[in-house]
Each structure stands twice: as C-alpha cells, then as structure tokens.
Amino acid sequence: MKIRGIRFIQLRERNTLRNQIFISFTLTIILVLTFAGAFIYGEVSVLLKNSAEKHIQQTAIQANGRLDALLKQVDSLTTQIAVDAYVQKLLSREAEGSRSNFNERQSLLQIANNYMAYSSGISSLELYTIDNKRLFPLDDSSLNRISGDALAAADEKKGRLAWIGIDPRSPDTVLAVRRINLLDHAYSPGGYVVVRVNRDYFNMFASDSADRSEARESMLLSDSEGNPILSDMNDETAQAVAAQTGSTVTVGGQRMLAVRQHSDVTDWKLVMLLPVEAATEGISVLRTAIYVSIGIAALAFLLLTLLLSTMITRPIQQLMRSMRSARFGGLKPLPATRNPLRTMEINELNHTYNRMVTHMNELIQVVYEKEITQSRTELKALQAQINPHFLFNTLEAFYWSLEEKEESELARTILAMSGLFRYVIGSAEAHEEWVTVRDEVEHTRRYLQIMKMRLIDRLHYEIDAEEELLHVPIPKLILQPLVENAILHGVESRIGPGSVTVRIRSSLPGLVMISVSDDGAGMDAETLARLVQSLDAAAPQASKKGAGVAMFNVQRRLKLHYPAVSGPSGGLHIESKPGAGTTVSFEITMTSKGEALL
C-alpha cells in the first residue's frame, strides 16, 4: 500500500500542463498522420485504378469505333449489292416466274468480284431467291443450310443487314444476311444476300497488339448470345467472362478490371480487361514512402511540441504563483513587467488579469451599493403596500351595482378600470414581467376605452395586430405608455377630434414591428432632436406634462431586453412632422422570454 501511494504521488506530480500538452499533441499528430496516410493511400489507389479504367475505357471506345467502321463497310457493300440494277432485274424475273439461265447467273460472278474487291475480310458472297433457290455461286444449293432464326432475323430487319454470328458450318467466319427488296415491285421481298466474313477481319488491334501485350490488356468481342467472335482467350474462358457483370471479373482466379462497350449496329459486346494488379502498380512504393514520411513528421513534431509546451507552461506557472499570492492580500493587480521572452499572448493574459481584478473590485462596490438600495426600497414598499384584492372587489361591486341600475356604459368603464388595475398592480414575481402581445394589446385597449369615456368624440382609436404575432412575448407595460403619450401630446393638443393607431406587423425574419401613431400637431426637427437626445441621456428629463419619464423608461427597457435588436441607435424610433402627427415605433424579437432575457 505504501509503494502504491508513492507511485500515485509520483504520477500526480507528473500530471502537469506541460506533460499533458506534450502527450496530447503527440497522440494527436500520430492519429492525424495515420489517418492522413491511410486516406492518401486509399485516394491514390483509387486514382490509379480510375486512371487505368479511363485508359482501357478510351481503348474500348476506340476499338468500338473501329468495329462500327468495319461493320458499316460490310453493310455498305451489301447495300450496294441489294440495289444493284442487274441483281434487281434478275430477282424480279425470278419473282415473276422466269428462271435465270446459266449465262445470266454467270454474269453475277463479275459483279460479286467487283464488290468483294473493296473488302478484304469477306470470304464468300452468296445470292438466293425468295424461294430458296441459289443463284450465286453456280450450284443447286438451297437456303436451307442457313437456320430459320437467321432468316427470321433478316426478315425482321426488313432490308437491313442482320448479323447472325459465328457460322455453324464454318467456325472461322461470321455470318450476315440481308433481305433484298425489289424496288420495281413495291419493295416486296425478292431474295437474300448472304455474306461470310473472316473472324480476323474484326481484329481492331492489329497495329498496337505489342502495346496491349505490354500493358497486359485483354479483349473479348462476343455476339448477343455471349458467344465469342474474337478474343485473346480460349472460348471457354471468353464465355465465362461474357457471362459476368460488374466493373471487375475473375479470369482464372485473377481479378481484372472490365470495361464494356455495346455496338448498336450488331448488338455485339466488346469487353476490355486489365488485371487489377497492373492498374495499381506502384502502391508498394507509395506505402513505404508514406510510412517514412509519417515517421519523420512524428519525430519532428515531438521535438517542436516539447519546445512549444515549455514556452507555454513556464510563463503560466509564473502567473499562477503571482495569482496565489492574491489570496492573502485580496484582489490586487499584478505589477507591470516587460519580459522580452514572453509572448504577446502571455503579456495579454497578464493585462487581462489586471483588468479583471479592477472590474471585480468595481462590481463588488456596485453590489454593495445595490444591496443597500434594495433594502431601502423593500422597506418603502412595505410601508406603501395595500391589499389589491380590496381594490378589485370594490371595483367589481361598483360594476354590478351600475349593471343593476342599467348604467351599462359606466359599468364597462368600471370593468375596464378593474382590468387595468389588475394588470398594472398584479403579482410582482419575475415571470410576471413578461406577457404576450395579446395581453399587452388587451391592456392598451382597456386604457383607450377609459380615455374614450373621458374624451368622448375627441378620441378615435384603432388597434391593428396580426393574429400570428399575438403569442410573441413582450415586456409588461411597454405599449401603454406610448399610447398615453400619443393621447397627451397628439389628441389633447388638437382643437378637434384626434386618432391614435396601434399597428403590430412582421418586420424582418424573426422581428416584430410595433408602432403607435397619432395625427396631432407633430414636432419640428429641432424639437424632435431634443427628444431623441433626452431618450439616450443618463437620467430622464420630464416634460411639462410629465411624459419624458415614461418614454425614457420604455427606451431603457427595450435596450435592456433586446440588445441585439436595439444596438447603439436602436430602441424607440420617432418620426414626426409639423401638422402631420407623430409615429413612435420599435422592434422586438419573436423569441421566448428566456431567450429575450439573455
């Protein structure tokens, strides 16, 4: 137990800020470098893989373009044969029942040789009538040697070339069939032209086969059924590759990247393959470089962290010793020192501590004075306290008495006074300082009713408030003083009738605009400037009618509860022109009262 206690004490003595900074920074940089290395390694791997995919994608696109060019060459050749005038004439006579003689069929040899001379890949060219009679070459073979599916494919193309695939009777050739439509017989079927093309004709990489071999790329060209037409692999492996989907395939246990292209002419598929290992060559070198970089960076950071932690903690320890001495002599500012080895932040910390001490001493004095003032205020409040229930009950008794005497108008005035007093001298608890806009509007409405009773036809008022804003919290008794000021200086200063308008509207997002307007005599620019200056004064300046104190209190409460909205030039905003009346407005936030107090 004694040895364990000694170890605990030693561990606690080593738990210093310097060691914490050193260990925390060291662990942080190791984690950061590890994650950065792993991220870079992964990103570079993906980049190499994407680069390889783009390369073989470009190769596949080029190969597919070459394939389409070869296919279009054969398609153009068979089109020329199908529309040849002599072929059309011969097949038209066959369709009419007139059989071609030997010399007429022999003439097809020269036509076929002329067309075949334009393409080295065609191994044979055959011409059949619609009733399966072979016109060229010169023998009596019928069209039955071609499958019914091939004929159906040719008929479905309606005169376009139909690529059938590998010729079953000649595996080294690819079979294509085109139905010949007779131009002079409303494009009715007249026969078929059959073309056999050597499989080597579709080798799109004859010129760059050495480059592809060096890059370890493989190619597969298969028909719509997945049968290989041309491939660098054996037929069994090629069929297995054609059956697989996805960006990677497995060939002989090796994972390879696969890029596929589709020929719209023949519905054939071209697949370019590249081993995954070939696409990510150089990763091992990158891994070693990352490990070495992490080690060097970690070692350099350790040394810098040790130096930085020493530079930070040594001045702080000196400041801590100075602050401990304040416990014995009270809060005293530190003596001003200028140490060139201290950083700007440490010097600012000393300066901030001195300002904090000065400010705390001032706060202590203010709190002491406020405690004395509060005690005196509570004593005066106890001396002037009355029972509000007695006042409310008395006013309600007046109300029922007037109702019995059918003095309805006077009774409503008494009821408005009861609500007015209940609102003003209600509970003094902290939460009663905040009410909703609806409560404040109702209180203002009761006040206007009482003033209407006194001024009769000289006062007209209007309260226009948006319904969705009535739930917004607002400090209690913030609106009625402005209405009272409007009546005092606006309506009563007129010889004839006057009006007061209260409007509550949405302002900017999250803000509510409240304005009180009157149509009184208004103020000139000089009077308005004095009024605005008195609102921002340190103490209220009462006017002859005593309205300055109310406006001053409203201004201070707005800036107290809404500092973010008010700002240095916020609070009450007054607009007035001589003969046009006065408008007093302010903005509040649509927040809860807890947020507003903050």
Side-chain angles (χ1 to χ4, degrees):
M1 292 295 293
K2 185 176 180 181
I3 295 176
R4 185 179 299 176
I6 294 175
R7 290 179 178 177
F8 177 77
I9 294 174
Q10 293 176 349
L11 181 62
R12 185 176 61 182
E13 291 177 351
R14 293 176 181 176
N15 187 23
T16 61
L17 177 61
R18 177 174 175 272
N19 292 338
Q20 289 181 359
I21 293 176
F22 179 73
I23 295 174
S24 300
F25 279 26
T26 301
L27 293 177
T28 301
I29 193 59
I30 291 176
L31 290 176
V32 169
L33 292 176
T34 302
F35 283 117
F39 177 76
I40 294 174
Y41 178 78
E43 289 296 317
V44 172
S45 300
V46 173
L47 182 62
L48 292 175
K49 183 178 178 182
N50 292 339
S51 178
E53 287 182 350
K54 290 181 179 179
H55 172 71
I56 60 175
Q57 178 76 24
Q58 186 66 25
T59 304
I61 292 174
Q62 294 176 357
N64 194 56
R66 296 175 186 175
L67 175 63
D68 288 342
L70 295 175
L71 295 174
K72 290 179 180 179
Q73 184 178 5
V74 176
D75 182 76
S76 176
L77 179 64
T78 56
T79 301
Q80 295 177 23
I81 295 174
V83 299
D84 185 83
Y86 186 78
V87 173
Q88 286 280 326
K89 178 181 177 181
L90 207 61
L91 291 177
S92 297
R93 292 176 56 188
E94 289 285 340
E96 294 171 356
S98 176
R99 297 298 179 181
S100 303
N101 55 37
F102 179 81
N103 292 331
E104 292 173 337
R105 295 171 62 189
Q106 182 69 24
S107 300
L108 292 172
L109 177 60
Q110 182 179 0
I111 297 174
N113 291 334
N114 290 336
Y115 285 117
M116 290 176 63
Y118 291 102
S119 178
S120 60
I122 298 179
S123 63
S124 66
L125 185 64
E126 301 173 3
L127 189 63
Y128 294 87
T129 63
I130 197 65
D131 56 355
N132 298 345
K133 178 183 177 182
R134 182 168 176 171
L135 296 180
F136 180 81
L138 300 178
D139 57 22
D140 295 330
S141 299
S142 66
L143 198 60
N144 294 333
R145 63 180 298 180
I146 304 175
S147 66
D149 294 338
L151 290 178
D155 291 334
E156 184 179 355
K157 291 290 185 177
K158 297 180 180 180
R160 296 190 302 272
L161 186 63
W163 291 90
I164 307 305
I166 301 298
D167 189 354
R169 296 192 179 187
S170 179
D172 293 333
T173 61
V174 177
L175 185 64
V177 181
R178 179 189 289 273
R179 192 182 75 184
I180 300 176
N181 297 323
L182 301 178
L183 303 180
D184 296 336
H185 291 74
Y187 291 92
S188 61
Y192 299 92
V193 58
V194 179
V195 180
R196 290 178 176 82
V197 184
N198 294 325
R199 294 175 66 177
D200 293 338
Y201 175 74
F202 301 102
N203 186 4
M204 289 77 69
F205 303 99
S207 60
D208 56 354
S209 58
D211 296 337
R212 290 178 51 250
S213 176
E214 183 178 353
R216 291 186 285 177
E217 294 179 1
S218 301
M219 186 271 295
L220 168 63
L221 178 63
S222 62
D223 59 15
S224 59
E225 302 296 331
N227 300 316
I229 295 176
L230 190 67
S231 175
D232 297 336
M233 302 163 281
N234 56 56
D235 291 348
E236 183 179 355
T237 303
Q239 289 178 353
V241 171
Q244 299 183 54
T245 59
S247 60
T248 58
V249 297
T250 303
V251 179
Q254 184 181 17
R255 294 179 64 251
M256 305 188 75
L257 297 175
V259 175
R260 297 173 175 81
Q261 289 290 323
H262 178 266
S263 175
D264 296 331
V265 178
T266 60
D267 201 25
W268 292 352
K269 296 177 182 179
L270 177 65
V271 183
M272 299 296 299
L273 302 175
L274 179 67
V276 175
E277 295 179 356
T280 58
E281 286 181 347
I283 292 297
S284 58
V285 178
L286 175 65
R287 186 188 303 112
T288 303
I290 290 176
Y291 288 156
V292 173
S293 301
I294 291 176
I296 295 175
L299 180 60
F301 191 81
L302 289 178
L303 297 177
L304 291 175
T305 302
L306 182 61
L307 178 62
L308 179 62
S309 60
T310 302
M311 293 176 60
I312 292 176
T313 56
R314 183 172 297 172
I316 292 178
Q317 290 174 354
Q318 296 175 359
L319 180 62
M320 290 172 56
R321 289 192 292 268
S322 299
M323 294 176 67
R324 288 194 189 102
S325 62
R327 296 181 299 176
F328 304 100
L331 294 175
K332 297 180 180 179
L334 294 174
T337 58
R338 294 185 178 180
N339 189 346
L341 298 180
R342 289 185 177 181
T343 62
M344 179 182 66
E345 289 79 8
I346 298 298
N347 291 330
E348 181 64 24
L349 181 61
N350 291 337
H351 181 60
T352 303
Y353 173 75
N354 289 336
R355 286 187 299 176
M356 181 193 68
V357 170
T358 302
H359 184 61
M360 290 183 64
N361 289 331
E362 292 176 355
L363 289 178
I364 292 173
Q365 183 65 26
V366 170
V367 170
Y368 176 73
E369 293 177 357
K370 290 180 68 175
E371 288 290 339
I372 295 176
T373 303
Q374 184 177 0
S375 299
R376 294 174 179 174
T377 303
E378 291 176 353
L379 178 60
K380 291 181 179 180
L382 289 174
Q383 294 173 349
Q385 186 179 24
I386 63 171
N387 188 353
H389 293 287
F390 172 76
L391 177 61
F392 299 152
N393 293 337
T394 302
L395 291 175
E396 289 180 1
F398 288 163
Y399 168 73
W400 291 113
S401 178
L402 292 172
E403 279 289 334
E404 291 178 357
K405 297 178 180 181
E406 297 183 356
E407 294 287 345
S408 301
E409 184 175 358
L410 187 57
R412 285 194 300 270
T413 303
I414 294 297
L415 185 61
M417 290 180 61
S418 176
L420 188 71
F421 291 147
R422 189 183 300 272
Y423 187 84
V424 173
I425 61 175
S427 175
E429 297 180 4
H431 66 273
E432 290 295 335
E433 294 183 6
W434 287 85
V435 295
T436 63
V437 172
R438 186 190 305 276
D439 296 334
E440 190 69 8
V441 167
E442 289 301 321
H443 171 67
T444 304
R445 193 187 306 275
R446 287 191 292 266
Y447 173 77
L448 287 169
Q449 288 177 359
I450 295 174
M451 296 305 296
K452 177 72 173 178
M453 180 68 181
R454 185 171 70 86
L455 298 176
I456 312 176
D457 293 335
R458 290 187 59 196
L459 173 63
H460 300 280
Y461 65 88
E462 178 186 0
I463 299 179
D464 184 11
E466 295 181 0
E467 183 67 26
E468 60 271 16
L469 302 179
L470 296 180
H471 69 283
V472 175
I474 189 173
K476 190 175 181 180
L477 294 175
I478 204 77
L479 182 58
Q480 182 260 336
L482 302 181
V483 175
E484 181 179 356
N485 188 66
I487 295 175
L488 185 63
H489 294 276
V491 177
E492 292 187 355
S493 64
R494 291 174 56 93
I495 298 176
S499 63
V500 175
T501 303
V502 179
R503 285 189 176 86
I504 302 176
R505 290 283 184 268
S506 297
S507 182
L508 297 176
L511 297 179
V512 179
M513 171 67 74
I514 300 177
S515 64
V516 178
S517 304
D518 64 74
D519 56 356
M523 294 177 285
D524 54 21
E526 183 180 355
T527 305
L528 180 60
R530 287 199 304 269
L531 176 59
V532 173
Q533 184 178 4
S534 66
L535 292 179
D536 295 328
Q541 300 175 9
S543 65
K544 295 180 180 180
K545 296 185 179 181
V549 177
M551 295 281 287
F552 178 81
N553 289 336
V554 171
Q555 174 80 334
R556 291 198 61 181
R557 293 175 67 194
L558 286 174
K559 290 196 172 185
L560 173 65
H561 294 301
Y562 302 101
V565 176
S566 300
S569 61
L572 293 175
H573 181 68
I574 305 175
E575 297 179 357
S576 182
K577 292 183 179 180
T582 304
T583 298
V584 181
S585 61
F586 61 91
E587 286 183 327
I588 63 174
T589 58
M590 298 178 64
T591 57
S592 65
K593 63 183 180 181
E595 294 174 336
L597 285 171
L598 293 177

